[in-house]
């Protein structure tokens, strides 16, 4: 058995949580990440037959039965993951149609997965149904995106159009746009179901007055999506109170489509 501390999935989780904390996106225990692993990938570093304990999930997700995830723990601080990965992270296997999680490694202080586990697991199932390559769901609290939800129309098309207008390459990075949910109670199955529904049409889902969810094939892609949207929101918050003298027009965004071979969400450009 190889040392799990050298497992690429562990090393990358440590690097990413540390980097997200450094970006100011994850104050205190804010934010959470889940990464779906291949069984063979996990089996190189841990005994997949040695279940440490069972943790009920409180929801059903039959599509995820038998799937393995490395996930951040509830109440754990992203800044501390690098110092004690085994306490702050866990590897679990989903069983019983999603109703149970078998802990295979981690959460050494008796802890458990993030309170946003419903939104994570339901979002994985939703993304996999439209993109079999999806592996990551990431949630965090970036200040400018959050600020924007206090002063901007929360209509997904309007919100996306503003982000696309803030940096030329936004439309290339997230041509499907961002979907925006109104404020909802976090940590519930309801917000999980609503997030998963929105994840069927976009890899970014904003939780108004709370934060953002991103999904992607790896940590880099998912981090990059959130990073790009947050940069656009930062520019919006710098200019929102000033007269808009110039902007990026829909005609220019159509030129970007041609240049980069992408297609903006149907009907979201004029
Ligand atoms: P957890 O500590 O349970 O992961 O919760 C953090 C959070 O961001 C809730 O939305
Ligand atoms: Zn949160």
């Amino acid at each position: 058995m190889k040392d799990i501390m050298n497992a690429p999935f562990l090393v990358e989780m440590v690097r990413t949580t540390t980097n997200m904390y450094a970006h100011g996106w994850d104050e205190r225990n804010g934010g959470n990440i889940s990464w779906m692993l291949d069984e063979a990938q996990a089996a190189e570093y841990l005994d997949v037959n040695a279940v440490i304990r069972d943790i009920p999930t409180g929801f059903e997700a039959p599509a995820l039965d038998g799937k393995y995830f490395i996930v951040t723990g509830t109440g754990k601080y992203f800044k501390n993951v690098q110092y004690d990965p085994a306490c702050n992270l866990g590897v679990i296997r989903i069983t019983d149609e999603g109703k149970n999680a078998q802990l295979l490694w981690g959460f050494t202080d008796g802890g458990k997965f993030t309170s946003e586990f419903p939104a994570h697991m339901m979002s994985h199932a939703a993304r996999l149904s439209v993109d079999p390559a999806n592996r990551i769901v990431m949630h965090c609290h970036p200040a400018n995106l959050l600020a924007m939800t206090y002063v901007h129309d929360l209509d997904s098309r309007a919100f996306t159009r503003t982000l696309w207008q803030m940096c030329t390459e936004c439309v290339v990075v997230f041509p499907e746009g961002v979907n925006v949910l109104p404020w909802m109670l976090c940590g519930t199955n309801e917000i999980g179901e609503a997030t998963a529904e929105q994840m069927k049409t976009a890899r970014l889902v904003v939780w108004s007055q709370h934060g953002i969810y991103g999904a992607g094939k790896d940590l880099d892609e998912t981090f990059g999506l959130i990073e790009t949207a947050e940069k656009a929101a930062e520019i919006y918050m710098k200019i929102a109170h000033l007269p808009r003298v110039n902007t990026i027009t829909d005609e220019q965004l159509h030129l970007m489509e041609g240049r980069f071979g992408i297609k903006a969400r149907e009907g979201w450009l004029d």
Side-chain angles (χ1 to χ4, degrees):
M1 191 79 60
K2 296 190 202 165
D3 181 358
I4 193 165
M5 291 301 160
N6 299 324
F9 56 81
L10 194 96
V11 172
E12 282 190 50
M13 280 291 275
V14 168
R15 285 185 186 156
T16 301
T17 47
T18 304
N19 191 20
M20 288 172 76
Y21 178 72
H23 274 69
W25 299 350
D26 299 275
E27 75 291 341
R28 198 175 184 273
N29 64 310
N32 18 78
I33 306 177
S34 57
W35 176 352
M36 192 173 88
L37 308 172
D38 294 333
E39 179 167 357
Q41 198 182 8
E44 280 184 54
Y45 298 95
L46 51 89
D47 181 355
V48 294
N49 297 312
V51 176
I52 299 168
R53 56 191 154 95
D54 288 299
I55 313 175
T57 64
F59 58 84
E60 293 184 16
L64 301 180
D65 233 15
K67 302 284 191 208
Y68 291 74
F69 293 90
I70 184 165
V71 58
T72 53
T74 184
K76 302 303 185 200
Y77 293 23
F78 270 32
K79 77 180 174 64
N80 293 339
V81 175
Q82 60 180 319
Y83 305 114
D84 193 354
C87 180
N88 293 291
L89 304 173
V91 176
I92 53 111
R93 176 174 52 217
I94 297 291
T95 63
D96 300 277
E97 315 233 288
K99 294 197 283 289
N100 185 56
Q102 296 176 322
L103 180 64
L104 301 172
W105 176 87
F107 300 146
T108 51
D109 63 349
K112 62 182 265 189
F113 42 72
T114 170
S115 60
E116 303 295 3
F117 206 56
H120 278 256
M121 293 301 112
M122 293 177 195
S123 293
H124 274 287
R127 284 309 304 167
L128 287 169
S129 72
V130 294
D131 175 13
N134 198 85
R135 291 292 176 273
I136 308 290
V137 172
M138 181 184 283
H139 165 62
C140 56
H141 305 162
N144 294 289
L145 278 163
L146 233 151
M148 196 169 152
T149 67
Y150 286 86
V151 297
H152 196 282
D153 182 349
L154 297 179
D155 172 70
S156 298
R157 180 180 185 273
F159 201 94
T160 295
R161 287 175 55 79
T162 296
L163 293 178
W164 283 345
Q165 288 163 3
M166 293 302 107
C167 307
T168 294
E169 295 186 16
C170 276
V171 71
V172 180
V173 176
F174 48 94
E176 78 272 41
V178 306
N179 288 337
V180 184
L181 283 177
W183 187 93
M184 292 179 73
L185 189 60
C186 55
T188 61
N189 289 353
E190 288 70 30
I191 201 170
E193 284 154 15
T195 307
E197 188 55 34
Q198 299 302 325
M199 279 280 179
K200 289 179 186 161
T201 50
R203 292 165 296 162
L204 288 168
V205 178
V206 171
W207 281 7
S208 293
Q209 296 85 47
H210 183 137
I212 190 163
Y213 269 74
K217 67 178 187 309
D218 56 31
L219 286 171
D220 250 11
E221 179 187 84
T222 315
F223 184 98
L225 276 170
I226 293 175
E227 186 179 30
T228 307
E230 169 62 2
K231 176 69 157 289
E234 180 180 355
I235 293 162
Y236 178 74
M237 293 310 297
K238 282 185 197 293
I239 66 160
H241 59 294
L242 299 171
R244 182 96 68 100
V245 179
N246 304 300
T247 193
I248 301 174
T249 64
D250 282 29
E251 197 182 357
Q252 289 166 334
L253 289 168
H254 282 303
L255 286 175
M256 291 296 287
E257 287 182 306
R259 171 74 181 81
F260 288 89
I262 49 99
K263 187 83 192 75
R265 177 104 152 237
E266 191 64 44
W268 285 21
L269 285 181
D270 292 332

